[in-house]
Amino acid sequence: RRKVKISDISWNATGVIIAAAYSKPDHEGICSHKSMICLWALFKRNFKPTRPDVINTPVYLINNCRIVSTVSAFTQKAIIIACGSYTGEVLLYDYSRQEEQLIAKTTVDDYFHRDLITKINWWAFRPPGKPDTNYNILSLGTDGKILLW
């Protein structure tokens, strides 16, 4: 049985929490193994580097097709995390929720990613003459697509 390894990390908006995506680097096709996202509060008094103090949900396991390859914490709200998967899905999690932490996801379609997402990032854009900033997600996949969500 092979262990999962860190595939990506991201600091949250406040800079005190780090999110790490764990997955199997040799992932292929449909599988039964699991991946996880861990959140650590690095500046808590009881934080120990050899035994991370995981916040809210001790370890969140993402089953089967939602094998996480990349993770990006939202730049404005500390507890929102976007993830990219090996199957091409973009997933959005809210770790302030006790249940139903998955708040949005894409599907696999001709116009979306159909393969591994290698990078996911938040993009802030303020339209000219508008007071509010729009926040979108950019994803890059091995299918050759760069998508704006």
Side-chain angles (χ1 to χ4, degrees):
R1 185 173 157 170
R2 295 184 182 150
K3 294 182 179 182
V4 293
K5 296 181 180 180
I6 293 178
S7 57
D8 199 11
I9 60 171
S10 179
W11 289 100
N12 78 336
T14 61
V16 298
I17 296 172
I18 191 168
Y22 287 81
S23 60
K24 289 179 70 173
D26 58 348
H27 175 81
E28 293 180 15
I30 297 173
C31 61
S32 61
H33 65 270
K34 297 178 180 181
S35 69
M36 66 185 104
I37 301 166
C38 292
L39 304 175
W40 292 283
L42 299 180
F43 298 108
K44 286 184 94 172
R45 185 179 306 218
N46 60 351
F47 175 74
K48 296 177 185 173
T50 57
R51 189 176 171 269
D53 179 28
V54 180
I55 64 166
N56 292 322
T57 304
V59 173
Y60 188 75
L61 297 176
I62 302 167
N63 296 316
N64 301 339
C65 292
R66 294 188 185 113
I67 306 300
V68 176
S69 57
T70 184
V71 64
S72 181
F74 185 36
T75 56
Q76 297 299 307
K77 190 170 180 182
I79 214 70
I80 302 291
I81 296 174
C83 303
S85 76
Y86 279 85
T87 58
E89 290 176 295
V90 173
L91 310 155
L92 198 59
Y93 291 94
D94 180 345
Y95 280 92
S96 66
R97 296 178 171 202
Q98 294 300 314
E99 295 181 19
E100 297 297 326
Q101 293 170 323
L102 178 63
I103 56 175
K105 70 174 187 158
T106 62
T107 57
V108 178
D109 189 287
D110 288 339
Y111 299 104
F112 304 147
H113 291 294
R114 298 185 65 130
D115 206 352
L116 169 68
I117 295 177
T118 56
K119 188 65 181 164
I120 197 161
N121 225 336
W122 291 91
W123 179 59
F125 174 72
R126 181 175 294 153
K130 302 283 184 175
D132 296 329
T133 302
N134 296 328
Y135 294 93
N136 297 92
I137 298 171
L138 283 167
S139 59
L140 170 66
T142 57
D143 54 11
K145 296 177 183 173
I146 299 174
L147 299 177
L148 178 65
W149 305 92

